[in-house]
């Protein structure tokens, strides 16, 4: 999938053409990668999920952790297909009951990612899923949460990478699998 | 927690689904018994069965749209959409969707909120189901129905894992039927 151009799966171009780029959202200068148009195309959406499922189905993954909210669109179908539990990683105060949190930096200020205590166990093999990797801050927070409870993060999986923001380098050495680059 | 769907006789998968849901008292505030579906998502068989029951019901019914309400509707909607070959349309809080949107205001217990949908996501004449994890007062689902009907979509049914029947959410859905797996007390 990523970085292996000669053998690029023929489904990937179909997915790439469905991603809609919206200029100046949420603010001027940002070219927003809108995946909702992929979800409107049943074949493109299915191909996206299939590509990840084919990669992970025989890797003994027991947890798929999805980052709110667009990670919730891709994580559960992958989890269901590979027989793993789905664990939502959420903004503060959304998860009821006992949680642990990890802080991460935004352009201005900080935010927090929360996970339920007991959702993930020591020894679980985990995937982290989000629609896109930009700076990698959110994914790094997710990796930290999972590692704190003794899970092994096998890989991060994103539909889109913005390589110029070098998010790949913030993943604590964990590999990244992505389908589409946007430069 | 009680299994629903009695008119077909009880689906044998439902008791396990019901027991996988965790109830958290006094969240988000005192007196509320919060129905936590995250424990259902940790039970691979229960999650699989939940999706299968919805898919069996909606496959082959010419449904081209699955609309899911942010955020927990995003967990159940896409697997159903994928399995029945429909598109998935996210119904979101304000300012999350880029590009052109239509919006509707709806009442909360205190104050109002706004729900948005992308312009062009759905077309007149399409047949849709609306998914959320739970129906309480029905305000959120009613808002989703209004947005979809405004652009000429036919609502075939609303589908939720859990209903809190005391809150009479069903009454807010107009003509749209409601299908649920499990009922529970609100407080």
């Amino acid at each position: 999938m990523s970085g292996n151009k000669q053998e690029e799966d023929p489904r990937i171009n179909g997915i790439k053409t469905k991603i809609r780029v919206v200029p100046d959202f949420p603010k001027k200068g940002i070219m927003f990668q809108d995946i909702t148009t992929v979800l409107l195309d049943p074949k493109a959406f299915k191909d996206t999920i299939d590509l990840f499922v084919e990669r992970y189905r025989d890797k003994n993954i027991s947890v798929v952790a999805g980052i709110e909210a667009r990670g919730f669109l891709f994580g559960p179908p992958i989890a269901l297909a590979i027989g793993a539990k789905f664990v939502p990683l959420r903004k503060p105060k959304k998860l009821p009951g006992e949680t642990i949190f990890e802080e991460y930096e935004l352009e201005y200020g900080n935010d927090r990612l929360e996970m339920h205590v007991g959702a993930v166990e020591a020894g679980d093999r985990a995937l982290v899923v989000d629609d896109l990797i930009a700076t990698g801050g959110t994914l790094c927070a997710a990796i930290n949460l999972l590692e704190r409870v003794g899970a092994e993060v096998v890989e991060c999986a994103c539909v889109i990478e913005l390589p110029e923001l070098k998010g790949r380098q913030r993943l604590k050495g964990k590999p990244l699998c992505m389908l589409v680059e946007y430069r | 927690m009680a299994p629903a769907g009695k008119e077909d006789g009880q689906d044998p998968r439902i008791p396990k689904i019901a027991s996988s849901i965790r109830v958290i008292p006094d969240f988000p505030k005192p007196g509320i018994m919060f129905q936590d579906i995250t424990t259902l998502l940790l039970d691979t068989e229960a999650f699989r069965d939940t999706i299968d029951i919805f898919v069996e019901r909606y496959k082959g019914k010419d449904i081209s749209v699955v609309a899911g309400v942010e955020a927990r509707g995003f967990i159940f909607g896409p697997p159903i959409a994928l399995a029945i070959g429909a598109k998935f349309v996210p119904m979101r809080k304000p300012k999350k969707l880029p590009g052109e949107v239509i919006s509707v205001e709806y009442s909360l217990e205190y104050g109002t909120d706004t729900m948005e949908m992308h312009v062009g996501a759905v077309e007149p004449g399409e047949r849709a189901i609306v998914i959320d994890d739970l129906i309480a007062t029905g305000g959120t689902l009613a808002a989703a129905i209004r947005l979809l009907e405004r652009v000429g979509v036919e609502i075939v049914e609303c589908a939720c894992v859990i209903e809190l029947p005391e809150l009479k959410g069903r009454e807010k859905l107009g003509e749209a039927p409601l299908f649920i797996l499990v009922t529970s007390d609100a407080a």
Side-chain angles (χ1 to χ4, degrees):
Chain A
M1 259 182 282
S2 62
N4 208 355
K5 295 290 179 194
Q6 300 102 315
E7 297 169 31
E8 187 176 278
D9 189 291
R11 291 168 286 184
I12 288 184
N13 196 59
I15 296 164
K16 183 174 185 136
T17 58
K18 289 294 171 182
I19 298 167
R20 176 171 75 150
V21 180
V22 182
D24 300 323
F25 183 91
K27 49 183 210 204
K28 271 194 138 17
I30 307 240
M31 301 295 277
F32 188 88
Q33 307 291 313
D34 182 17
I35 49 84
T36 65
T37 38
V38 175
L39 312 177
L40 294 180
D41 182 323
K43 179 179 188 317
F45 190 15
K46 180 178 187 307
D47 286 347
T48 303
I49 300 302
D50 285 350
L51 282 161
F52 288 124
V53 169
E54 288 160 21
R55 183 177 180 84
Y56 298 119
R57 69 173 6 135
D58 297 318
K59 300 263 183 0
N60 258 98
I61 307 284
S62 53
V63 171
V64 173
I67 298 180
E68 167 165 18
R70 289 185 289 263
F72 290 7
L73 301 165
F74 299 98
I78 296 168
L80 284 160
I82 69 175
K85 5 182 217 197
F86 179 72
V87 174
L89 303 182
R90 298 211 66 175
K91 305 271 185 208
K93 301 201 174 73
K94 304 291 187 76
L95 291 170
E98 218 190 332
T99 58
I100 58 173
F101 71 87
E102 189 74 21
E103 247 181 33
Y104 63 99
E105 274 177 30
L106 299 171
E107 194 179 5
Y108 300 107
N110 289 346
D111 205 344
R112 284 185 180 186
L113 205 59
E114 291 188 350
M115 181 172 79
H116 264 139
V117 167
V120 174
E121 290 163 12
D124 266 328
R125 283 169 55 80
L127 271 190
V128 186
V129 176
D130 207 355
D131 64 323
L132 178 148
I133 174 173
T135 62
T138 325
L139 283 168
C140 182
I143 293 168
N144 284 335
L145 279 171
L146 292 159
E147 289 191 331
R148 272 165 60 188
V149 296
E152 178 197 345
V153 177
V154 174
E155 195 157 87
C156 296
C158 302
V159 181
I160 303 163
E161 179 185 14
L162 307 180
E164 285 154 3
L165 298 179
K166 303 194 199 299
R168 228 180 244 266
Q169 296 170 12
R170 297 194 55 190
L171 303 182
K172 304 182 69 179
K174 302 301 174 188
L176 171 74
C177 168
M178 61 84 201
L179 305 186
V180 170
E181 264 184 12
Y182 184 81
R183 292 181 179 274
Chain B
M1 194 79 62
K6 296 200 178 58
E7 73 274 10
D8 302 274
Q10 191 182 112
D11 188 304
R13 294 168 288 188
I14 287 185
K16 185 167 173 20
I17 293 169
S19 65
S20 72
I21 297 165
R22 176 170 73 152
V23 181
I24 307 262
D26 302 320
F27 183 90
K29 49 182 211 210
I32 307 248
M33 301 293 279
F34 188 89
Q35 309 290 322
D36 181 18
I37 49 85
T38 65
T39 41
L40 185 164
L41 309 176
L42 296 178
D43 181 330
T44 52
E45 194 185 324
F47 189 18
R48 170 88 263 145
D49 285 348
T50 301
I51 299 301
D52 283 352
I53 292 173
F54 290 124
V55 169
E56 288 159 20
R57 186 176 180 84
Y58 298 120
K59 198 170 194 146
K61 299 262 173 39
D62 218 13
I63 288 165
S64 57
V65 175
V66 173
V69 180
E70 165 166 19
R72 290 184 288 264
F74 287 9
I75 295 174
F76 296 97
I80 297 167
L82 285 160
I84 71 174
K87 42 188 174 178
F88 179 75
V89 177
M91 313 295 276
R92 295 211 68 173
K93 304 270 186 210
K95 301 198 171 77
K96 303 292 186 78
L97 292 170
E100 219 188 332
V101 298
I102 59 171
S103 65
V104 68
E105 222 177 58
Y106 62 102
S107 297
L108 300 171
E109 194 180 4
Y110 299 106
T112 62
D113 207 343
T114 302
M115 182 183 292
E116 295 184 344
M117 179 174 78
H118 264 139
V119 167
V122 296
E123 286 162 25
E126 292 208 78
R127 284 162 53 78
I129 56 173
V130 186
I131 307 281
D132 206 353
D133 65 322
L134 178 148
I135 175 172
T137 62
T140 320
L141 282 171
I145 290 169
R146 267 154 57 211
L147 276 175
L148 290 159
E149 289 188 334
R150 196 192 293 174
V151 294
V153 168
E154 176 196 342
I155 310 295
V156 174
E157 196 158 81
C158 293
C160 303
V161 180
I162 305 161
E163 179 186 21
L164 307 180
E166 293 161 6
L167 300 181
K168 302 194 202 297
R170 241 177 235 262
E171 293 171 10
K172 289 226 177 70
L173 306 183
E175 306 270 295
L178 174 68
F179 175 71
I180 44 126
L181 305 187
V182 164
T183 64
S184 189
D185 298 329

